[in-house]
Structures are given as C-alpha cells and as structure tokens.
C-alpha cells in the first residue's frame, strides 16, 4: 500500500542552525501539507502546497519557514534559523484532491525536531 | 470558523468493555469529520471519515462514529476494547478556504486499556 515517508525520523540541531525536513508523498497525490505537534499540544496546520505554490499558510509559518518540491517526488520543509520553540514533531501529509473522496490526507510517521 | 472539541483528555477502560470517545464540532457549513489514531512513536492513521453520506460511519479495527447534527457531535465508539487500542485519538474537521483545505485537530484523547 502506498505511504508517505519522512526523513530523518529524529533531527537534533543547535539553535540558529538551518534544518531541512524531507518527505516523499504518495506518488499520484497533488496536494501536500506540513503540520506540527509541539509536545503535549494539538496538531497544528503549517502550510499547504499545490502546483508548486503555497496555497495556504498559518500564522506560525513565518519567513523562517519555506517549502519546496525540488523534484517530482520530494517535498521539503526548511527552517532557516531554528529557535527553541521550533522543537516539535513535524508531520507531512498528502492528498489526491480536496473534495469528497479525494480529500483524505495521508500522513507520514513524522520527524521529531529537537532544538538545543 | 471550523473547530472540534474533544471532551475528555484521558479515557481508561478495561479490556473487553465498550469505548466512547467524545467529540463536538463547530462548523459554518456541512462538515467533513475524521477520527485519526496515533500509536506511540507512530504517525497518524485514519480510522474513519464522515463526508455527508451515512450518519453512522464504520472504520477500521471495529471502530465506528455517529454524526449527530442536532447535537453537533461525532463520538467514536467500539463495542469491546482491545489492548492494542491504547493510543491517542484525534477528532478532526476539514476547513475549506478558496478551493483548498486544511485539517483542524482536536486536543486529543489518550485511551488507556487495562487487562
């Protein structure tokens, strides 16, 4: 069964460093998402991406964050200068569409980011 | 705005007894609602979804949920809990915006199952 994969599973970085979280969505999906879950808190929407453009972003997704689909398979989230409060589990998701049957979002296993 | 409220942060049941995880929603239009499960150190797995078809939705692993518009509820149930059901459960609503959508998560309910 097709699945969303994410690498690495755990990333430890120093404050101020850049990190890139990688995701491989399901191959025939067109819509891509990043969510994050700070320990003990809700899962929060960060950004959605379609047709090589950001379609929506949350207030959390400031200038320190960027997303890219560098090739036909990968979808990345970059944090330019990490802060302690960026420590969280980051989930990538993808969907075939946005309506009806096709709006189901399939999630990857997550990347746990720890900023020291 | 779309939102969901999970009424219990923790639920504890004995193996073999029924499970009830409660969720109320708020929506300005006919909602699409989901339940996701997260086992320890695992990703988010879809249990079931409601998209305005049958109000009683059956999911994987014996779970089901009933959409009740009059009560704005979408509670998750299972007749008989199994040890493997111990996990975090999230009630989720879709928010639509300009042809795109995003998921709005509840705070989660941690289900413990005791022998």
């Amino acid at each position: 069964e097709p699945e969303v994969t994410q690498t690495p599973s755990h990333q430890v970085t120093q404050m101020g460093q850049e990190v890139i979280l990688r995701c491989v969505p399901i191959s025939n999906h067109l819509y891509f998402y990043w969510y994050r879950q700070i320990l003990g808190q809700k899962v929060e929407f960060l950004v959605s991406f379609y047709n090589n453009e950001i379609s929506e972003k949350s207030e959390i997704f400031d200038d320190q964050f960027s997303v890219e689909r560098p090739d036909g398979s990968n979808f990345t989230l970059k944090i330019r200068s990490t802060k302690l409060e960026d420590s969280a589990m980051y989930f990538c998701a993808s969907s075939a569409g946005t309506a009806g049957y096709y709006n189901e979002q399939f999630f990857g296993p997550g990347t746990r980011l720890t900023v020291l | 705005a779309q939102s969901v409220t999970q009424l219990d942060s923790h639920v504890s049941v004995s193996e073999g007894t029924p499970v009830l995880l409660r969720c109320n929603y708020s929506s300005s239009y006919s909602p699409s609602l989901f339940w996701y499960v997260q086992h320890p150190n695992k990703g988010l797995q879809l249990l079931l979804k409601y998209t305005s078809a049958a109000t009683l939705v059956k999911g994987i692993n014996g779970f089901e949920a009933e959409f009740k518009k009059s009560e704005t509820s979408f509670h998750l149930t299972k007749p008989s809990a199994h040890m493997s059901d111990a996990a975090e459960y999230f009630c989720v609503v879709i928010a639509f915006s300009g042809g795109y959508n995003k998921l709005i998560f509840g705070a989660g309910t941690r289900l413990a199952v005791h022998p």
Side-chain angles (χ1 to χ4, degrees), chain B:
Chain B
Q2 311 297 93
S3 68
V4 287
T5 302
Q6 293 185 243
L7 301 173
D8 308 290
S9 58
H10 291 84
V11 170
S12 182
V13 301
S14 297
E15 191 175 21
T17 64
V19 175
L20 170 64
L21 305 183
R22 299 181 296 164
C23 173
N24 287 349
Y25 70 89
S26 174
S27 177
S28 52
Y29 42 79
S30 182
S32 290
L33 293 159
F34 304 79
W35 277 97
Y36 280 84
V37 61
Q38 184 181 27
H39 287 93
N41 301 313
K42 300 286 188 185
L44 294 157
Q45 181 185 20
L46 181 69
L47 273 180
L48 50 79
K49 64 179 179 180
Y50 167 77
T51 53
S52 74
T55 55
L56 183 62
V57 182
K58 293 190 184 299
I60 62 171
N61 301 332
F63 284 94
E64 61 183 38
E66 186 171 8
F67 174 76
K68 290 188 177 179
K69 185 176 179 179
S70 61
E71 298 176 10
T72 60
S73 69
F74 189 58
H75 301 335
L76 181 71
T77 60
K78 182 173 180 177
S80 176
H82 192 272
M83 296 295 289
S84 60
D85 294 328
E88 185 101 20
Y89 292 79
F90 295 96
C91 183
V92 178
V93 65
I94 278 190
F96 296 99
S97 174
Y100 303 103
N101 64 42
K102 62 185 178 187
L103 301 185
I104 308 296
F105 283 74
T109 298
R110 184 164 297 278
L111 175 65
V113 182
H114 302 288

Side-chain angles (χ1 to χ4, degrees), chain A residues 30-87:
Chain A
L30 301 175
Y31 297 81
F32 313 112
Y33 313 84
W34 284 100
Y35 294 81
R36 80 172 185 189
Q37 183 182 28
I38 294 172
L39 189 63
Q41 297 186 24
K42 287 185 183 185
V43 178
E44 305 170 285
F45 168 79
L46 289 179
V47 66
S48 58
F49 190 86
Y50 170 72
N51 199 26
N52 280 322
E53 288 184 346
I54 290 175
S55 45
E56 187 175 357
K57 60 184 180 180
S58 71
E59 294 175 353
I60 303 165
F61 196 89
D62 61 22
D63 292 343
Q64 293 299 312
F65 290 88
S66 63
V67 289
E68 192 178 31
R69 189 155 163 82
D71 53 44
S73 59
N74 289 283
F75 179 50
T76 62
L77 174 69
K78 182 193 290 186
I79 309 174
R80 258 179 277 280
S81 177
T82 50
K83 303 190 268 285
L84 295 176
E85 54 264 38
D86 294 328
S87 294

